[in-house]
């Protein structure tokens, strides 16, 4: 019997269908979300003060926008990517800005995801050897997802200006 394939509606990854339910938090296939869960075990156990988990979370969030993904998730993800990419923030610093933004009464816009998803996916990160190489791949993921959202760059810069 031919193995059926499921395409992730967020990042476009084609994965063997394991009949996982789609996650409630992200516009993603259950199979893709499972890869993100696997990566989360790695990043959460990372132990370094930079908190690289935040970078992975923001990459995944921005790359899986639309559908069930809340406007605030997309907005926070893009702001996180912007701060890392253009201001050299660590995940820890991004987390602090997110907390400040969370206390604001901002109504977040529905940002429409770009037609072309970034060429780097969670699978590329997981396929990279754990350690410095994988961390470098997470940084590439940040750059790729940020670049894919070019139309929203000015929005992100303006949205976070009062907080940095
Ligand atoms: Zn995906």
């Amino acid at each position: 019997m031919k193995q059926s394939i499921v395409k992730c509606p967020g990042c476009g990854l084609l994965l063997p269908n394991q009949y996982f339910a789609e996650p409630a938090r992200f516009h993603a296939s259950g199979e893709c979300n499972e890869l993100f869960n696997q990566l989360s075990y790695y990043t959460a156990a990372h132990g370094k003060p930079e908190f690289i988990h935040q970078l992975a979370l923001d990459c995944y969030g921005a790359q899986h926008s639309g559908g069930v993904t809340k406007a605030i998730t997309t907005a926070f993800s893009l702001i996180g990517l912007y701060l890392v990419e253009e201001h050299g923030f660590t995940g820890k610093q991004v987390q602090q800005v997110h907390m400040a933004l969370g206390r604001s009464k901002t109504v977040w816009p529905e940002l429409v995801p770009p037609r072309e998803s970034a060429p780097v996916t969670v699978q590329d990160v997981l396929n990279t050897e754990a350690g410095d190489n994988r961390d470098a791949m997470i940084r590439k993921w940040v750059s790729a997802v940020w670049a894919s959202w070019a139309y929203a760059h000015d929005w992100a810069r303006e949205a976070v200006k009062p907080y940095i």
Side-chain angles (χ1 to χ4, degrees), residues 8-13 27-29 32-33 60 63-64 122:
C8 177
C11 69
L13 260 184
H27 188 47
S29 67
C32 179
N33 195 63
Y60 199 80
Q63 207 174 20
H64 296 84
V122 63

Side-chain angles (χ1 to χ4, degrees), residues 70-76 79 100-111 155 158-160 163:
K70 291 193 176 119
I72 190 172
T73 302
T74 303
F76 275 37
I79 285 168
L101 287 167
R103 288 190 292 269
S104 74
K105 297 274 178 265
T106 311
V107 175
W108 301 102
E110 295 279 350
L111 295 161
W155 173 84
E158 288 304 314
V160 76
Y163 298 89

Side-chain angles (χ1 to χ4, degrees), residues 14-46:
L14 298 171
L15 294 165
N17 194 346
Q18 299 184 72
Y19 303 96
F20 291 158
E22 290 192 355
R25 187 177 180 195
F26 298 116
H27 188 47
S29 67
E31 288 73 5
C32 179
N33 195 63
E34 173 57 24
L35 295 184
F36 181 65
N37 290 341
Q38 286 175 30
L39 178 62
S40 297
Y41 295 130
Y42 168 78
T43 53
H46 208 281

